[in-house]
Amino acid sequence: MTAKTMARGWRWLFTALLAAQVRAAPVQDFGEANLARLAARLSLLADAQQPVRIVQFGDSHTAADYLSGELRARLQARFGDAGIGWLPPLNVPGQRNALGLVRSEGWSLRNSRRDEDADFPLGGFIGMAQRSGAALSVQPRSADGGLWRVRVWLRQAGDAASLTVDDGNGPRRIQAAAGAGWQRVEMKLQLPFSVRADSLPAPELGGFELEKLTPGVVLDSVGSNGAELALWRRWGGVWGRQLAARDADLVVLAYGTNEAFDGKLDLDEYRATLQAAINLVRAQLPQAAILLLGAPDSARRKGPVSQECAAPRRPLMLSAVQQAQRQMARDNHLLYWDWEQAMGGPCSMRIWQQRQLGRPDLVHFTAPGYTRLADDLYQGLMQRLAR
């Protein structure tokens, strides 16, 4: 890459980032060493062989893919659309992806929040064929006639048969090494495509990665309704290699809401869990920047509450969780977005609900509310990268 090309890329990025700074947004940099690398990757995307990959982990705020979906849309509009990213192996009830979906017949879903497995894959979901001929289709929500880079995560028992994949251009069989845990099979396909289990037992599915063959940004929305960060412990000890294989440039950690509603939360244990998560990301993705999202303001009408606000009051542990998150971001030199500050500060959820930006449960947001928050996060990230 020539110095002239690099200079052109930096000038283009700087101009784009300045244009995005309509208003200040609360993204803080506590010394993230990989921030400059992320800025450089974005500035040189036109000459890049791989997209800029962002992985957002989180609870229901992420699982709905409104916050992450709007952030994805803003980034792709600015830097190029590299596709859908990660999808779970099957549709997860109550969850969505803004760009893609999986429809299935004859498959069952194992969910790490309620089911047991010693080796859940990244995301915590497993798709299992229940009969011969069980089929599913992976579909974009908007038609796209081009070729996609498709990666399928498989786990195969010793006597498992293969799966048949078909995108309308002829079927092909895929399988993985027996007894070797989760493995990734890569191919180039058009969307939509189907996956069929021709016989039982069939290989299990751990998820899909869908990327266009063009430069740009891809954002994986890896969420689970009701999840706390401690859910990662239920995924087993080897899923981190899947995270490493994703080769992400930015990892977003967006938990804390459910921890805040736990009146018996052990703060020392929570800090240890958060530190372990940060350590895992640093070990598996040493090149990636980490952005920690502070828990948003929320309220409850009954149950353990603090006395910080007039009724409805804040969850008992919300302030403590937010303080722990900020301190961990500072101690580990991360990027930090103060979600509550973006809402207007403590006790703001009631106002958001009155303005139809928050939902009646005083925990989640309406689509316009998530859009507004994502715009603030995007602007704050662009402002931070420009510096």
Side-chain angles (χ1 to χ4, degrees), residues 159-176:
D159 56 353
S162 59
L163 298 171
T164 296
V165 176
D166 195 343
D167 66 350
N169 294 305
R172 65 186 79 182
R173 295 186 181 276
I174 60 171
Q175 58 186 157

Side-chain angles (χ1 to χ4, degrees), residues 105-107 129-136 195-200:
E105 183 177 351
W107 292 77
Q130 297 300 296
R131 59 174 174 80
S132 177
L136 61 83
V195 179
R196 186 181 69 250
D198 295 317
S199 62
L200 297 181

Side-chain angles (χ1 to χ4, degrees), residues 168-236:
N169 294 305
R172 65 186 79 182
R173 295 186 181 276
I174 60 171
Q175 58 186 157
W182 293 103
Q183 300 161 70
R184 189 170 71 174
V185 177
E186 181 172 325
M187 62 201 101
K188 289 184 174 63
L189 299 171
Q190 290 184 315
L191 268 60
F193 64 87
S194 65
V195 179
R196 186 181 69 250
D198 295 317
S199 62
L200 297 181
E204 297 170 324
L205 291 172
F208 303 94
E209 298 170 9
L210 311 173
E211 295 178 355
K212 297 180 180 180
L213 304 180
T214 55
V217 171
V218 61
L219 192 154
D220 300 347
S221 181
V222 186
S224 183
N225 283 340
E228 298 181 6
L229 180 54
L231 182 66
W232 285 20
R233 296 174 184 164
R234 297 179 59 85
W235 296 355

Side-chain angles (χ1 to χ4, degrees), residues 11 67 88 95 103 149 158 181 215 218 223 230 234 251 313 354 368:
R11 287 196 299 271
L67 177 73
Q95 300 187 189
R103 299 189 184 278
R149 181 184 296 109
V218 61
R234 297 179 59 85
V251 174
R313 301 188 184 279
Q354 292 170 351

Side-chain angles (χ1 to χ4, degrees), residues 316-329:
L316 181 62
M317 301 302 295
L318 178 54
S319 292
V321 167
Q322 293 167 333
Q323 291 167 10
Q325 290 173 323
R326 180 183 292 275
Q327 187 60 50
M328 294 296 287

Side-chain angles (χ1 to χ4, degrees), residues 284-326:
Q284 299 297 334
L285 294 170
Q287 80 286 355
I290 301 177
L291 170 60
L292 179 61
L293 307 190
D297 186 59
S298 56
R300 67 190 311 173
R301 295 183 173 88
K302 59 182 179 179
V305 295
S306 74
Q307 300 301 311
E308 299 170 80
C309 309
R313 301 188 184 279
R314 283 159 63 86
L316 181 62
M317 301 302 295
L318 178 54
S319 292
V321 167
Q322 293 167 333
Q323 291 167 10
Q325 290 173 323
R326 180 183 292 275

